[in-house]
Amino acid sequence: MNKNTRIIYENEAGSVTFDVAGDFWIEEITGLQTDVDMITTQNVGQLGVTANGQAVKSKEPTFNGYIVRNVESRRAQMLAVILPRVFSRISFFLENGDGWYLEGWPTQTPQLSDGLGPQHFQFRFLAPYPYFRSTETKAYQLTGLTPLWRTPFHMSGTKRISQFTENAFCKVENSGSVPQAITLDVVAYGEVSQPEIWCVDASRRIGISKVMQPGERFRISTHDRDRDAGRAVQFFTADGEVSNGFRYITPDSDLGMMVGIGGNVFTARAAANTQNLRCILVTAGGERHSI
């Protein structure tokens, strides 16, 4: 394991950190390459083949390493976290602070050696989405209050501390090679009627058929992990109570909305009182192919 790399396996059951300064060491990781199936045809007398398409396979890396200290407690920790059928994330953090992750499920729970000294372990992990994604996140304000306060300031005259962003069109960049899922936080600071978020380039929208009261909030996620966990649409009351908000989503809404490759233009509006609406779009800060 590279001494400058820290690996974290985490899920709802807890986390395990693999670090040369800690008790878990990674000796070798295999299967991180990306395999591609090419679909080709060849006609009679044709020299070579014609490429008609390709399919990228999932990853199934194998992790080999050692528990070097506190063997008994660390062994129990590993077996309690790396569980079958529990959706998990494996993040790789480099010395410069960059981080990349894979998500999926273990296909082999930890196999551990016996003995009183350091114990060898091995486990496998299936990542159905084969590319690494960045742990960095970026937030974009689609509509809401833009701060205008600056220091130093002059005491004379009238100054605004904020201003509502009207006719907001926000450009969201995806510098990766695949579309990215998004999370939307739709918040009402006053009464807002039937808010909606548009991806202008794709002419797709997510609509909410509700008159939102002050303090109410929707969190809408197009990530697979949230859909699988029943958290695709969450509704929060002003008191903080959480419930499934799917009943408020309009039938024509695109709950698979993605940020396409390159620049994407989003906008948010409402049937009434748009000035009371705030919408934040959060997406991965960057994606790359694995090497």
Side-chain angles (χ1 to χ4, degrees):
M1 174 181 175
N2 188 320
K3 66 178 182 179
N4 298 323
T5 302
R6 179 166 50 94
I7 301 173
I8 300 178
Y9 186 109
E10 56 188 337
N11 55 35
E12 61 188 27
S15 65
V16 176
T17 299
F18 303 94
D19 192 323
V20 293
D23 298 340
F24 296 101
W25 288 15
I26 293 291
E27 178 187 35
E28 181 185 30
I29 306 174
T30 59
L32 288 178
Q33 76 281 354
T34 299
D35 295 325
V36 180
D37 278 338
M38 295 297 300
I39 303 170
T40 62
T41 57
Q42 185 176 34
N43 296 321
V44 177
Q46 179 181 350
L47 180 62
V49 298
T50 301
N52 297 319
Q54 56 180 306
V56 181
K57 297 182 180 180
S58 60
K59 283 191 197 309
E60 190 172 356
T62 299
F63 294 79
N64 290 277
Y66 288 90
I67 303 176
V68 294
R69 290 181 292 269
N70 303 313
V71 173
E72 186 174 348
S73 61
R74 294 310 191 189
R75 178 186 178 109
Q77 178 187 354
M78 177 174 280
L79 293 174
V81 173
I82 304 178
L83 297 167
R85 302 180 63 184
V86 177
F87 187 79
S88 306
R89 173 182 289 191
I90 299 181
S91 303
F92 300 75
F93 294 96
L94 307 181
E95 185 181 24
N96 63 2
D98 290 341
W100 306 90
Y101 70 87
L102 294 170
E103 291 180 321
W105 300 264
T107 59
Q108 177 197 42
T109 54
Q111 179 181 351
L112 294 129
S113 60
D114 297 324
L116 299 177
Q119 292 189 6
H120 178 265
F121 64 79
Q122 181 187 83
F123 66 90
R124 287 196 302 271
F125 187 82
L126 175 66
Y129 183 90
Y131 298 122
F132 281 94
R133 287 179 274 191
S134 172
T135 58
E136 178 191 2
T137 59
K138 290 184 179 178
Y140 300 86
Q141 179 168 287
L142 301 186
T143 185
L145 295 175
T146 301
L148 300 178
W149 182 265
R150 297 290 186 274
T151 57
F153 60 93
H154 297 285
M155 296 295 293
S156 61
T158 302
K159 302 289 188 301
R160 294 182 178 181
I161 64 172
S162 64
Q163 178 178 340
F164 177 70
T165 304
E166 298 182 276
N167 299 321
F169 288 90
C170 177
K171 187 174 183 180
V172 179
E173 292 287 349
N174 176 4
S175 59
S177 57
V178 293
Q180 299 175 8
I182 60 175
T183 301
L184 292 166
D185 276 318
V186 182
V187 185
Y189 282 84
E191 184 176 289
V192 179
S193 298
Q194 301 176 7
E196 58 183 10
I197 298 89
W198 280 87
C199 178
V200 178
D201 308 82
S203 296
R204 295 179 177 178
R205 76 164 192 144
I206 295 176
I208 298 172
S209 58
K210 184 183 190 307
V211 177
M212 297 179 64
Q213 300 303 314
E216 292 183 341
R217 175 168 65 96
F218 282 88
R219 171 162 289 180
I220 303 168
S221 173
T222 64
H223 290 269
D224 290 339
R225 63 177 183 271
D226 290 325
R227 289 203 298 265
D228 293 342
R231 297 192 299 266
V233 183
Q234 294 177 286
F235 172 64
F236 299 79
T237 66
D239 296 329
E241 296 182 6
V242 187
S243 62
N244 191 325
F246 184 78
R247 64 187 182 278
Y248 297 116
I249 300 300
T250 60
D252 63 339
S253 293
D254 178 16
L255 291 180
M257 185 180 289
M258 307 282 276
V259 174
I261 301 168
N264 301 258
V265 177
F266 285 84
T267 187
R269 59 196 184 197
N273 300 324
T274 302
Q275 71 275 8
N276 295 329
L277 174 65
R278 186 183 183 198
C279 181
I280 300 295
L281 183 152
V282 180
T283 184
E287 298 186 8
R288 69 172 184 182
H289 289 274
S290 60
I291 298 173

